[in-house]
């Protein structure tokens, strides 16, 4: 159920009946419950056109609009707002419909092809915290879009190509005299450092590294085999992280930079033929007047270096054309940190000028802030090194295990292990998902693992509370009577929230902002706790019909939390 869309429809019809066509129909959620749940605030803007006072227009709309089934009360407030108070009988009925629907009453959207470019680590090095956010947020966005019925095409645009591989392959070929690739590359960070030291200091090594680059680009078979070995082991490192994080990326989603190699020369010749790229000091560049500095100098976007080498930008142009033409992407979402915002802005301008995408296709860079340590500086180990993701995730599970063991519980050893995994991983993911993605956020073990506040453990716990309520009541959610009758204000508040799930998911799908869903689930869990205190279910003397109605509402809470957390990629538990 999308209450917002429904109200927009009804107000649109009313305005048409009053002879007003094509006016905006602004409906928003009310700030305070005493103003009802929704507010129409379009009357003020009509005053001029209708030559009437806004309040009179609002009165007229209230007379005209057909909301008897949905609203218990409409009132004109302030300069001409219309407050909508939702009707308990209607809400009860909508909750029943949601509860008996496997999709919880959430309609599918008209299907679109949506490319989501996320995770995309550089394979020359270990995956680091910078790739944690794109992986987690991207995976949640993908799940939401798929739930809405879209055809989502994951694109893991891995950095698997470039001059740095010359140095790495030269080093690897030496190492393979004594070791197998898996051992030699067991620590990519160390391996990279060793290769770099040799490159900087060892006589003749830099030349060999450059030879390898030339051979690799020339398609030399031996060199390619070595490269493939490297890439393969490095991908396996990423897969270990994906596995622990429980994200949905697989090998078939990989479309690394190397995949566009063949097409880069075409991109340049196309840009040149269209007069978009021009030569400048031996390089091929595009001048972008739309992004001029304050002195009017256009931004310079390099697409080919003077030596003939291609760049990150060239590959992104090739990727854009592929996604538009071959994948038919209605939307392309790219998740990287905010420092790349300018690059994607420029890429979009240049690509559109070149006709690499159709006008109606969107190119949406979704930036996010950095992950900071408790000291407010970029997240690093105590000695200043990069934090290995695998170790970070293991630590999360270990810490969660200790916390759960300290709490009152009747879990077996095996159950405890499972709970620790779900809570630990859930906490790390949720901490990231719940923050507005555009801001930096501070990584803090204590707050993310807290059982209070907007955290994964709090929501997972709220879910187990409902589950244990049903165990105590001896009621099976799957076969229980579904007869909801909303009477109390806590029931009303909870029901309104439950009916806003579709609106929230719609927002996440449009803006790629999972934190909106997190806030929503937190509100649902909190409203449930308030309802649970005020509206007893298992106490003596509660009428069976009242009890059943409240249990049914609680069941919808459990299903909403379960579905919402699943969309965020967070697992729920039966008990903890
Ligand atoms: N590999 C890049 C990095 O680690 C991210 C790639 C994002 N996707 C893209 N199409 N450029 O920063």
């Amino acid at each position: 159920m999308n209450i917002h869309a429904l109200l927009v429809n009804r107000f649109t019809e009313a305005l048409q009946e009053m002879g007003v066509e094509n006016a905006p129909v602004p409906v928003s959620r009310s700030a305070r419950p005493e103003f009802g749940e929704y507010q129409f605030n379009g009357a003020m803007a009509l005053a001029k056109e209708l030559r009437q006072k806004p309040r009179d227009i609002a009165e007229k709309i209230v007379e005209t609009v057909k909301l008897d089934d949905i609203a218990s009360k409409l009132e004109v407030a302030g300069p001409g707002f219309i407050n909508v108070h939702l009707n308990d009988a209607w809400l009860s009925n909508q909750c029943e419909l949601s509860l008996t629907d496997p999709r919880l009453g959430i309609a599918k959207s008209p299907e679109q092809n949506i490319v989501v470019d996320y995770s995309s680590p550089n394979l020359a090095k270990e995956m680091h915290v910078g790739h944690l956010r794109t992986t987690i947020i991207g995976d949640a966005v993908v799940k939401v879009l798929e739930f809405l019925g879209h055809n989502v095409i994951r694109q893991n645009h891995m950095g698997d190509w470039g001059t740095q591989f010359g140095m790495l392959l030269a080093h690897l070929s030496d190492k393979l005299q004594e070791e197998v690739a898996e051992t030699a590359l067991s620590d990519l960070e160390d391996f990279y450092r060793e290769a770099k030291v040799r490159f900087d200091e060892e006589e003749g090594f830099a030349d060999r590294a450059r030879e390898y680059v030339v051979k690799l680009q020339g398609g030399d078979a031996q060199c390619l085999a070595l490269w493939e070995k490297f890439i393969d082991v490095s991908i396996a490192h990423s897969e270990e992280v994906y596995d622990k994080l429980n994200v949905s990326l697989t090998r078939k989603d990989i479309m690394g930079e190397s995949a566009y190699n063949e097409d880069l020369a075409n991109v340049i010749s196309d840009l040149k033929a269209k007069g978009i790229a021009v030569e400048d000091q031996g390089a091929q560049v595009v001048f972008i007047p739309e992004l001029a500095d304050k002195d009017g100098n256009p931004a310079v976007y390099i697409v080919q270096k003077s030596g003939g080498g291609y760049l990150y930008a060239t590959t992104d142009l090739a990727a854009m054309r592929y996604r538009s033409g071959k994948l038919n992407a209605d939307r392309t979402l790219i998740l990287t940190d905010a420092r790349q915002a300018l690059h994607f802005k420029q890429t979009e301008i240049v690509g559109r000028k070149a006709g690499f995408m159709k006008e109606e296709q969107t190119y949406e860079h979704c930036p996010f802030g950095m992950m900071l340590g408790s000291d407010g500086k970029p997240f690093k180990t105590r000695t200043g090194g990069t934090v290995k993701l695998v170790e970070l995730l293991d630590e999360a599970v270990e810490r969660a295990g200790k916390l759960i063991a300290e709490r009152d519980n009747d879990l077996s050893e095996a159950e405890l292990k499972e709970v620790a995994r779900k809570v630990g991983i859930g906490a790390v993911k949720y901490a990231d998902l719940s923050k507005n993605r555009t801001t930096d956020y501070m990584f803090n073990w204590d707050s993310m693992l807290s059982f209070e506040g907007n955290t994964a453990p709090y929501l997972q716990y709220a879910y187990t509370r409902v589950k244990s309520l049903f165990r105590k009541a001896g009621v099976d959610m799957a076969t229980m009577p579904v007869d909801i009758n909303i009477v109390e204000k806590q029931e009303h508040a909870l029901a309104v929230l439950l009916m806003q799930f579709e609106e929230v998911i719609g927002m996440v799908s449009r803006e790629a902002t999972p934190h909106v869903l997190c806030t929503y689930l937190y509100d649902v869990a909190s409203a449930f706790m308030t309802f649970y205190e005020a509206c007893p279910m298992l106490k003596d003397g509660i009428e069976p019909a009242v009890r059943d109605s409240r249990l049914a509402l609680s069941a919808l809470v459990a299903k909403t939390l379960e579905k919402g957390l699943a969309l965020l990629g967070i697992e729920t538990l039966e008990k903890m």
Side-chain angles (χ1 to χ4, degrees):
M1 162 50 42
N2 189 333
I3 304 177
H4 181 266
L6 187 65
L7 292 175
V8 169
N9 272 340
R10 299 285 178 96
F11 279 108
T12 306
E13 282 164 14
L15 290 174
Q16 277 166 355
E17 223 180 293
M18 292 163 59
V20 181
E21 300 279 347
N22 300 325
V25 185
V27 173
S28 55
R29 294 211 206 142
S30 298
R32 301 225 298 266
E34 59 269 34
F35 299 150
E37 285 78 33
Y38 287 84
Q39 198 166 59
F40 172 84
N41 43 30
M44 284 76 84
L46 291 172
K48 223 172 172 182
E49 184 183 338
L50 298 181
R51 296 164 192 276
Q52 286 174 49
K53 288 203 209 82
R55 273 194 79 100
D56 294 342
I57 298 172
E59 297 287 358
K60 178 84 181 94
I61 296 174
V62 166
E63 271 167 42
T64 315
V65 70
K66 293 188 184 61
L67 282 174
D68 291 348
D69 49 342
I70 301 170
S72 59
K73 186 167 79 175
L74 296 177
E75 66 197 354
V76 176
F81 298 119
I82 300 173
N83 293 338
V84 181
H85 297 256
L86 296 169
N87 173 333
D88 281 335
W90 181 78
L91 277 173
S92 302
N93 188 245
Q94 293 304 318
C95 286
E96 288 171 3
L97 291 174
S98 291
L99 188 53
T100 48
D101 174 8
R103 293 186 55 83
L104 302 178
I106 297 173
K108 290 196 178 179
S109 307
E111 184 178 335
Q112 288 188 311
N113 289 332
I114 306 181
V115 163
V116 186
D117 173 335
Y118 71 109
S119 193
S120 309
N122 293 328
L123 295 181
K125 291 192 171 188
E126 205 83 30
M127 221 172 137
H128 60 84
V129 292
H131 296 114
L132 191 62
R133 300 204 75 183
T134 157
T135 305
I136 295 173
I137 299 175
D139 212 50
V141 170
V142 154
K143 288 189 169 120
V144 166
L145 293 170
E146 279 180 339
F147 178 58
L148 288 176
H150 296 299
N151 174 34
V152 174
I153 311 158
R154 295 163 175 75
Q155 294 279 281
N156 196 346
H157 190 91
M158 285 179 158
D160 60 356
W161 200 248
T163 46
Q164 59 199 0
F165 281 94
M167 161 184 110
L168 296 168
L169 296 185
H171 187 45
L172 182 62
S173 85
D174 293 346
K175 282 272 214 181
L176 291 189
Q177 309 295 325
E178 286 150 38
E179 293 173 69
V180 294
E182 281 73 11
T183 330
L185 297 168
S186 64
D187 189 316
L188 284 176
E189 224 46 48
D190 285 348
F191 186 89
Y192 189 94
R193 213 172 303 120
E194 287 162 19
K196 184 81 172 74
V197 168
R198 290 185 71 189
F199 186 86
D200 291 339
E201 292 169 8
E202 193 180 304
E203 176 85 31
F205 186 82
D207 289 332
R208 267 183 69 212
R210 280 188 273 271
E211 262 166 49
Y212 267 97
V213 177
V214 176
K215 277 206 255 173
L216 185 63
Q217 281 172 346
D220 174 86
Q222 235 179 336
C223 194
L224 271 179
L226 204 58
W227 172 77
E228 263 162 28
K229 194 78 234 174
F230 187 99
I231 296 302
D232 191 53
V233 178
S234 184
I235 291 177
H237 283 280
S238 303
E239 280 175 332
E240 195 187 343
V241 175
Y242 295 159
D243 198 43
K244 282 190 199 279
L245 275 179
N246 186 30
V247 297
S248 63
L249 285 166
T250 65
R251 288 229 175 191
K252 70 170 185 8
D253 304 317
I254 298 176
M255 185 72 186
E257 293 183 16
S258 63
Y260 299 102
N261 194 33
E262 304 274 284
D263 198 31
L264 301 181
N266 299 332
V267 167
I268 301 299
S269 56
D270 248 39
L271 289 175
K272 273 162 62 177
K274 289 179 175 144
I276 295 170
V278 293
E279 193 175 320
D280 189 58
Q281 296 165 46
Q284 292 297 327
V285 309
V286 181
F287 292 105
I288 309 177
E290 291 89 336
L291 299 174
D293 66 13
K294 51 181 182 325
D295 300 325
N297 304 311
V300 181
Y301 182 80
I302 308 178
V303 287
Q304 187 173 24
K305 290 189 271 193
S306 57
Y310 302 111
L311 300 99
Y312 188 58
T314 329
T315 307
D316 266 325
L317 288 170
M320 175 194 282
R321 186 154 72 167
Y322 168 76
R323 291 163 182 180
S324 157
K326 292 263 160 47
L327 300 180
N328 248 315
D330 297 301
R331 295 174 70 188
T332 295
L333 310 183
I334 303 173
L335 289 101
T336 78
D337 72 62
R339 287 171 298 182
Q340 297 194 36
L342 181 61
H343 161 73
F344 288 109
K345 200 184 244 170
Q346 295 178 332
T347 302
E348 178 173 11
I349 293 177
V350 173
R352 285 200 186 277
K353 270 191 200 163
F356 288 171
M357 349 186 7
K358 298 192 196 86
E359 185 129 19
E360 66 280 10
Q361 294 175 320
T362 69
Y363 193 74
E364 305 169 49
H365 177 232
C366 313
F368 45 80
M370 274 200 290
M371 188 158 130
L372 307 174
S374 325
D375 55 0
K377 302 215 181 92
F379 194 73
K380 289 270 158 70
T381 59
R382 236 170 259 132
T383 53
T386 30
V387 178
K388 278 207 186 165
L389 284 186
V390 173
E391 285 165 13
L392 183 91
L393 297 176
D394 288 344
E395 182 173 350
V397 174
E398 198 187 303
R399 282 174 181 262
K402 279 203 193 113
L403 282 176
I404 307 279
E406 280 165 16
R407 287 166 66 93
D408 215 11
N409 71 64
D410 56 0
L411 301 167
S412 70
E413 197 64 29
E415 283 172 334
L416 185 71
K417 233 180 120 189
E418 189 59 6
V419 173
R421 188 184 63 75
K422 289 184 177 178
V423 171
I425 299 295
V428 170
K429 292 177 85 170
Y430 193 86
D432 203 328
L433 291 164
S434 58
K435 314 289 184 310
N436 187 338
R437 69 168 156 71
T438 54
T439 50
D440 291 347
Y441 95 97
M442 227 176 245
F443 189 92
N444 182 303
W445 286 119
D446 294 335
S447 61
M448 75 175 72
L449 282 164
S450 168
F451 281 79
E452 272 147 52
N454 189 9
T455 65
Y458 174 78
L459 291 177
Q460 288 169 321
Y461 180 63
Y463 177 78
T464 62
R465 286 271 296 262
V466 189
K467 287 300 204 163
S468 87
L469 169 70
F470 276 80
R471 278 196 296 276
K472 263 190 228 142
V475 172
D476 177 6
M477 259 188 213
T479 55
M480 67 189 295
V482 177
D483 193 349
I484 296 176
N485 186 15
I486 290 161
V487 180
E488 305 298 336
K489 69 171 189 294
Q490 294 86 354
E491 294 174 321
H492 179 91
L494 180 59
V496 169
L497 260 176
L498 289 169
M499 289 305 101
Q500 289 172 334
F501 199 12
E502 181 167 334
E503 272 169 52
V504 168
I505 300 232
M507 247 183 279
V508 177
S509 77
R510 282 191 300 277
E511 316 273 339
T513 46
H515 76 277
V516 175
L517 177 54
C518 295
T519 308
Y520 170 75
L521 295 177
Y522 177 59
D523 288 345
V524 168
S526 308
F528 171 74
M529 298 296 185
T530 310
F531 152 83
Y532 185 80
E533 296 299 319
C535 304
M537 284 169 257
L538 305 184
K539 252 206 208 140
D540 286 344
I542 301 285
E543 268 185 57
V546 173
R547 181 193 97 129
D548 286 351
S549 165
R550 290 177 180 171
L551 278 173
L553 209 50
S554 306
L556 188 54
V557 168
K559 289 189 181 185
T560 303
L561 290 177
E562 186 179 31
K563 184 75 212 170
L565 287 170
L567 290 175
L568 294 169
I570 292 173
E571 296 173 86
T572 40
L573 323 114
E574 293 308 301
K575 54 180 184 173
M576 65 193 269

